[in-house]
Amino acid sequence: MPLTFTLDPPVDAALRDGIRTLWTDVSDAGGAVGFVPPVNPDDVRAELVRHFVSMAEGRTRLLIGHDGAGAVAATAFLTYNTHRLMRHWVWLYTVMVHPRHQGKGYGRGLMHAAADAARGLDGVEAIRLTCRGGTGADAFYASCGYKEVGRVPDAIRVAPGDDRDDITMLLTLH
């Protein structure tokens, strides 16, 4: 059963806790979403609060994917640029699909839903995202139509002696 996607759902305790659990589980499974396992849910909570503040300020939009049981199964945050010369594209952050749903096409569905959401934003012509090298995420995003437009070697230090490239990718919306 495919995920059901909602842009800008009402934020309540169940959604907040569902995103925090998703983010913790994705991180602990090795997902490159800003943390290195093992992950403390309090660290995730602090970062999630920053996302919610950005949403409350109108700078970020939340896309949620619920599974057939109604559980939070996927997220992506679309963030507007504040620079007046860059308002024609948005950033895509914290793209996650729960590990139990990997391999079901839900990631591709999430990326399609994010592109559709961005197309509905006034004046937005493209989406940019960054990903951690060495994870295969860049190949996945490329398969969703994104093109690599930049790479900073060894910009992400996962652990001492384990530096990864920071890869910037772009999807032009048509």
Side-chain angles (χ1 to χ4, degrees):
M1 171 176 243
L3 299 182
T4 301
F5 293 101
T6 306
L7 183 63
D8 301 326
V11 176
D12 58 15
L15 181 67
R16 180 199 65 221
D17 293 346
I19 296 171
R20 185 174 63 189
T21 298
L22 170 67
W23 204 339
T24 301
D25 291 350
V26 167
S27 297
D28 280 339
V33 287
F35 297 95
V36 176
V39 177
N40 180 329
D42 288 335
D43 293 335
V44 170
R45 182 172 37 83
E47 189 63 29
L48 181 57
V49 166
R50 284 189 273 282
H51 280 45
F52 285 153
V53 168
S54 183
M55 288 168 53
E57 294 172 347
R59 295 181 291 122
T60 297
R61 310 282 297 270
L62 170 62
L63 179 65
I64 286 288
H66 287 94
D67 65 17
V72 172
T75 65
F77 291 84
L78 294 101
T79 300
Y80 294 103
N81 284 293
T82 57
H83 193 285
R84 67 188 161 280
L85 302 179
M86 297 183 193
R87 292 187 181 141
H88 60 288
W89 58 269
V90 294
W91 284 104
L92 190 62
Y93 290 116
T94 321
V95 177
M96 301 184 285
V97 174
H98 197 280
R100 75 174 164 267
H101 294 303
Q102 296 292 317
K104 298 178 182 177
Y106 291 171
R108 195 166 305 284
L110 175 62
M111 298 307 292
H112 181 75
D116 285 348
R119 283 184 190 96
L121 303 177
D122 190 38
V124 172
E125 300 171 8
I127 302 172
R128 282 175 63 177
L129 59 79
T130 63
C131 60
R132 184 186 304 168
T135 65
D138 54 329
F140 168 71
Y141 293 130
S143 76
C144 294
Y146 284 75
K147 303 226 181 308
E148 183 176 326
V149 295
R151 181 180 290 253
V152 180
D154 300 330
I156 301 169
R157 179 152 295 157
V158 177
D162 186 2
D163 294 345
R164 308 287 180 89
D165 293 355
D166 184 18
I167 304 167
T168 301
M169 302 190 79
L170 178 76
L171 177 69
T172 302
L173 303 170
H174 300 288

